[in-house]
Amino acid sequence: DVKVTQSSRYLVKRTGEKVFLECVQDMDHENMFWYRQDPGLGLRLIYFSYDVKMKEKGDIPEGYSVSREKKERFSLILESASTNQTSMYLCASGQGGTGWGGYTFGSGTRLTVV
Amino acid sequence: AQKVTQAQTEISVVEKEDVTLDCVYETRDTTYYLFWYKQPPSGELVFLIRRNSFDEQNEISGRYSWNFQKSTSSFNFTITASQVVDSAVYFCALSEANAGNMLTFGGGTRLMVKP
C-alpha cells in the first residue's frame, strides 16, 4: 500500500525554537507539497517541490523553509517557531501528467507552539 | 487567480438522509481539474474523485455522486442514505492545468451524521 509518512503526529515546541517536520513517501513521486490546515481556511500551500533540490513558494511561505535532498523526503523547517504557526501540517505527494489522480496525503502533524 | 468556495461550514443530518455538499470554483483557465477529498477524524485526506474540465458527465460511485456544471462553476457532492461512517470533513479542490499540479482547496465542510 502506498504511503506518505509524517514523522510526528503531535509536537509541542517553544517560541523561537527551530522545528523540523519530516515527510517521506514510498511511491517514487516527483512532486511533494506542504500544506497547513486551519479551521475555516481549508488547506493552504506553504511550499512545494518538483524534484530533488528544487523548491517553490506556495501561498504562505513566510516563516518557513524546506529541504529536499532525496526524492522520497521533503522537510519543512520553521526557522524560529511562533505561536501563529500553531496548526495542522499536512504533507502530500503526487505524480504529474494527464494521468494524475490527485495527491496522497500523510496523516498530518499537529504542531503547538507555546 | 483560482478560488474554491464551500459555503457550508457544517452540516448535520440523521442517518439515512441524503445530503449535498456544495462547491463553487473560480478559474480563468479552460483546462482544469476538480477534486473531492474526505478527511476522517484520523486526519489523513482521502482522495475521492477527480474530474477534468472537458468532462461534464455526472458520476456515481455507490452512495456517492457528483454533479459538475460548468455553467454555474459548481461541482457538488451528494451522499445518498448517509451513514455514521460518512462523518468527516470534506474538501473540494481545484487545479489549473498551468499551475503545475498545485491544488487550491476550499475551506471544507464538516459533515456530522447522527445515528
Side-chain angles (χ1 to χ4, degrees), chain A residues 9 31 33 35 37 40-43 45 48 50 57 59 88 90 95-103 105-108, chain B residues 9 33 35 37 39-47 49-50 89 91 95-96 99-108 110:
Chain A
R9 191 80 172 96
N31 307 326
F33 306 82
Y35 284 86
Q37 180 181 357
L41 298 177
L43 278 72
L45 182 64
F48 61 99
Y50 288 145
K57 293 180 180 179
D59 298 321
M88 170 72 93
L90 289 159
Q95 196 74 342
T98 54
W100 183 43
Y103 298 169
F105 280 86
S107 296
Chain B
T9 53
Y33 305 93
F35 299 79
Y37 284 85
Q39 186 180 41
S42 61
E44 184 174 328
L45 270 77
V46 177
F47 167 77
I49 190 171
R50 164 188 177 262
V89 181
F91 290 96
S95 176
E96 295 172 336
N101 295 332
M102 287 190 294
L103 284 176
T104 296
F105 286 84
R110 180 177 298 278

Side-chain angles (χ1 to χ4, degrees), chain B residues 1-46:
Chain B
Q2 53 190 24
K3 185 180 177 182
V4 178
T5 302
Q6 295 179 252
Q8 306 147 308
T9 53
E10 263 190 32
I11 301 175
S12 182
V13 300
V14 176
E15 208 169 16
K16 296 184 184 176
E17 282 186 26
D18 298 347
V19 58
T20 295
L21 310 182
D22 297 332
C23 173
V24 174
Y25 62 92
E26 295 176 29
T27 178
R28 293 182 199 159
D29 268 16
T30 55
T31 302
Y32 53 90
Y33 305 93
L34 294 163
F35 299 79
W36 276 96
Y37 284 85
K38 174 182 180 180
Q39 186 180 41
S42 61
E44 184 174 328
L45 270 77
V46 177

